[in-house]
Amino acid sequence: MTNVATVSKNKRARVFEREQLLKDFKLAWESRHASLMGRKEVFMGKAKFGIFGDGKELAQLAMAKYFKEGDFRAGYYRDQTFMFAIGQLTIKEYFAQLYAHTSVEAEPASAGRLMNGHFATRSLHEDGSWKDLTAMKNSSADISPTAGQMPKLLGLAYASKLYRENPGLKELVQFSKNGDEVAWGTIGNASTSEGMFFEAVNAAGVLQVPMVISIWDDAYGISVPNEYHTTKGSISEILKGLQRNDDQKGYEIFVVKGWDYEALDRAYENASRIAREEHVPVMIHVVEMTQPQGHSTSGSHERYKSKERLEWEKEYDCLVQFRKFLLDNGHASTEELDQIEQEAKAFAKKEKEAAWVAFSGEIKKELKEAIQLIRSSAANSRQQNALVTLADDLAKAINPIRKDVISTVRKAIWLMRHDADEVKEAIKNWYAQQKELNEERYSSHLYSQSDFASEKIESVSVQYEDDAPLVDGREVLQACFDQLLENDPRFLAFGEDVGKIGDVNQAFAGLQAKHGELRVTDTGIREVTIIGQGIGTALRGLRPMAEIQYLDYIHYALMTLSDDLACLHYRTKGGQKAPLIVRTRGHRLEGVWHAGSPIGMLLHSLRGMLICVPRNMTQAAGMYNTLMQSDEPALVIECLNGYRLKEKMPANVGEFRVPLGQPETIREGKDLTVVTYGSMCRIVEDAAQELSAMGIEIEIIDVQTLLPFDVDHKIVESIKKTSRVLFADEDVPGGASAYMMQKVVEEQGAYFHLDSEPATIAAKAHRPAYSSDGDYFSKPSVDDVVEKVYAMMHEVDPLSFPKF
């Protein structure tokens, strides 16, 4: 093995075909002109914002040469040249994203939902089924947060390890060819300061996965130079300890200059071979890169770079040096290269203009229709002059966007509020049609729309033998997981302490020994990359369960869950999916960091995921069985104090399926409805016994899942009977209880049927104090529920229920 290698020209120059060299030169200049033109489009008001990949072209061309079908990319927003080079992005599509064209055909990465420079390939057919990923060059969907691409990069590479080493996966030929696929990651030098980078790098070294990380180093992070970002000013210098040697596994690390075509080609050839054949992670630190237009359209780099630095960047611009290389080695003449540059510029301009015509043409059509409808309505309206003015102003709009059209139409309808229906009927119908279209353009695909959506999974009732044994709740889960591992080779579980000891609550006890370490796996203490491991493997056709040991620790991973997993299906408009199951445990226990119920936080940040809150382990098992049939990502929060409680062992433990979005009435009552979930179900059930002795019969509804929530509006039917409702949970005040109230009182119209003010009961605003006393005085107790319900009934009938 070698030490960290600085790759440069050796005595024997590499042999390149002239045709390939000139093709690379042309593509590099097409990409450069796309960057230059993109900046101008923003300044002309035709696009909102721009961030470009100029200065990074040569390294990306080198990387693209060794990127094969089946490989995956997890990169960031400066990788346009690479995407052009692998044939997964056209310049027309690039500008369609800059303009935010909402057509999947025009802009397949995100259908206009993402800022320019966010790349993705479409892994799914229109019906949501998988394509043959081994026959494609794949890019996972980009996200903006710095280093946010690193966790899933680990998972994408880990999938190759699993496909190579697990014989049970050999038949999944549409996802892998013997694990030969490499996961290629790119990141800017400044972003390597992020914890996500270090966590992913360490985990990849531990796991020994086929991952190539390219660090594009242009010496700055916006205005801040490297010496403020990185010890010694060099990420490869401080990571030398990761370099593998004859005795220790680790990384292969290369340092190469971003303007040296030969050295770049050599580095990427070696990296591809090492990662693909040996399953060793590789890091390529590409130094001496430039950024000719600065960070983005939000400012100029002349503000913070010295005159000397700017002069150096002009000389060592990779395209300037590439031209020099071609001339010095006799590969082309000056006239030939000038001609290629001109052709590249003309081609980029032609594609840009075609993208603009396609984008603006749709809006102009809608604008024309709106103007005609407003003017037509104006002829018979009391507000004729005002309507004509609206139409005239809209007709004068320069580079109109859809908002201009729709906002004007809405104002026109407001003006006609006193007119007869026939006057405004045509424009109102048009507006209604546009609302449907815009719902599809901007708000569809938050959840699966395929036949594998959770709401379409048929439920299967739990069954028990007459002599069903009473067992610890964790044994029900253990039996369920054993069945999943036995029946579906795609299923695997990993997390802290999941493997050898079978998780801290023993639901996987003995399953690693039975099914192997690749199926039930221990990880380090690294929540972010546990989730990333799950996202990446799910993107590659596996069915991972990633465990976060306690719900309190999910904060470490919340950014990745929210910014990457939860919005993946939405931001690709159904182009990608990652049906990851995140398993954790929370609610009742003791202490500030082991009794978490931050449900409101999760509900607000994880739209796009399912959130399941089972009251016991049987319900949890049924939800896992359902989720394994679905193609949506989910978070399942088991009750932390329920693993040792006794439950009957189901006869069909691996088959019964709990329907998601369907609440269950677990106690009938006539006086008041209590809506709750999770560990609070037992608290409320105990309170019901106390209240019954006082003459109050409450109906208890376990919502079972918070996302989705009561899709058939069953809860309001209970309220019609009781005329009163209490929402109970152990989140902070205004958290999940407020969410449930809004869903029932507002969305389901329960306010029509209430004879008493709807109420909530929640935990204190602080985290729970330690010990049983801390729990009692911090979270809702049986006594609290009794007094809250009784007070509500006292208001109704003070004679029957006098104050305590």
Side-chain angles (χ1 to χ4, degrees), residues 716-753:
V716 72
E717 296 303 316
S718 173
I719 295 171
K720 288 178 182 179
K721 177 173 63 173
T722 66
S723 303
R724 279 166 284 280
V725 63
L726 172 67
F727 299 93
D729 88 323
E730 51 185 296
D731 195 1
V732 297
S737 57
Y739 163 81
M740 292 190 293
M741 181 183 285
Q742 187 267 338
K743 297 292 285 186
V744 175
V745 175
E746 180 183 341
E747 283 192 21
Q748 298 187 14
Y751 63 91
F752 283 117
H753 311 289

Side-chain angles (χ1 to χ4, degrees), residues 48-122:
K48 189 79 172 178
F49 179 80
I51 195 161
F52 309 104
D54 46 308
K56 314 295 188 289
E57 294 92 352
L58 217 56
Q60 292 179 30
L61 287 170
M63 183 169 74
K65 284 184 184 179
Y66 301 98
F67 189 93
K68 296 185 178 181
E69 288 184 345
D71 286 358
F72 261 87
R73 165 192 170 273
Y76 82 132
Y77 42 69
R78 299 202 190 277
D79 290 347
Q80 68 199 49
T81 308
F82 173 79
M83 295 299 293
F84 293 150
I86 65 169
Q88 297 303 311
L89 179 71
T90 67
I91 292 179
K92 184 178 179 181
E93 290 168 347
Y94 180 73
F95 279 100
Q97 189 173 69
L98 183 71
Y99 302 138
H101 197 156
T102 57
S103 163
V104 167
E105 291 71 31
E107 201 279 272
S110 74
R113 294 179 175 185
L114 298 181
M115 183 187 80
N116 85 299
H118 288 70
F119 310 114
T121 50
R122 301 193 75 77

Side-chain angles (χ1 to χ4, degrees), residues 185-201:
T186 63
I187 188 169
N189 54 290
S191 297
T192 63
S193 301
E194 295 277 15
M196 288 184 181
F197 173 80
F198 284 98
E199 188 173 312
V201 165

Side-chain angles (χ1 to χ4, degrees), residues 476-585:
V476 176
L477 287 178
Q478 182 188 35
C480 174
F481 295 152
D482 188 21
Q483 289 290 303
L484 291 176
L485 288 161
E486 190 72 41
N487 296 330
D488 193 336
R490 302 172 303 160
F491 179 68
L492 66 151
F494 46 83
E496 298 160 18
D497 297 305
V498 168
K500 188 170 184 178
I501 70 168
D503 89 41
V504 292
N505 294 103
Q506 298 289 283
F508 276 98
L511 298 186
Q512 184 184 79
K514 181 176 180 179
H515 298 281
E517 290 188 30
L518 291 174
R519 305 292 303 284
V520 184
T521 309
D522 284 312
T523 70
I525 300 175
R526 50 175 181 81
E527 285 78 10
V528 172
T529 47
I530 289 172
I531 296 302
Q533 214 167 314
I535 296 172
T537 50
L539 279 166
R540 294 193 57 190
L542 298 176
R543 293 308 312 265
M545 174 182 283
E547 179 170 312
I548 301 297
Q549 195 165 83
Y550 296 107
L551 183 58
D552 304 82
Y553 302 161
I554 207 164
H555 295 82
Y556 285 103
L558 188 61
M559 181 175 172
T560 298
L561 287 168
S562 180
D563 291 338
D564 200 348
L565 180 60
C567 63
L568 173 66
H569 196 257
Y570 167 78
R571 73 177 189 272
T572 60
K573 200 177 183 184
Q576 292 185 7
K577 63 181 176 182
L580 167 64
I581 299 172
V582 180
R583 177 189 179 225
T584 189
R585 51 192 67 81

Side-chain angles (χ1 to χ4, degrees), residues 280-339:
V280 169
V282 182
M283 185 179 302
I284 303 179
H285 185 192
V286 186
V287 299
E288 296 191 15
M289 283 187 145
T290 65
Q291 203 153 277
Q293 296 186 109
H295 175 74
S296 67
T297 55
S298 62
S300 169
H301 61 158
E302 284 85 358
R303 292 181 300 159
Y304 52 84
K305 289 180 182 175
S306 67
K307 181 180 178 183
E308 292 75 20
R309 173 69 192 189
L310 291 168
E311 287 299 319
W312 179 89
E313 288 197 9
K314 286 181 182 178
E315 181 179 356
Y316 282 90
D317 184 308
C318 66
L319 299 194
V320 172
Q321 290 295 317
F322 190 23
R323 180 186 181 95
K324 184 174 183 297
F325 166 78
L326 295 175
L327 293 172
D328 289 350
N329 289 278
H331 294 302
S333 66
T334 299
E335 292 74 20
E336 284 179 299
L337 297 183
D338 287 345
Q339 179 66 25

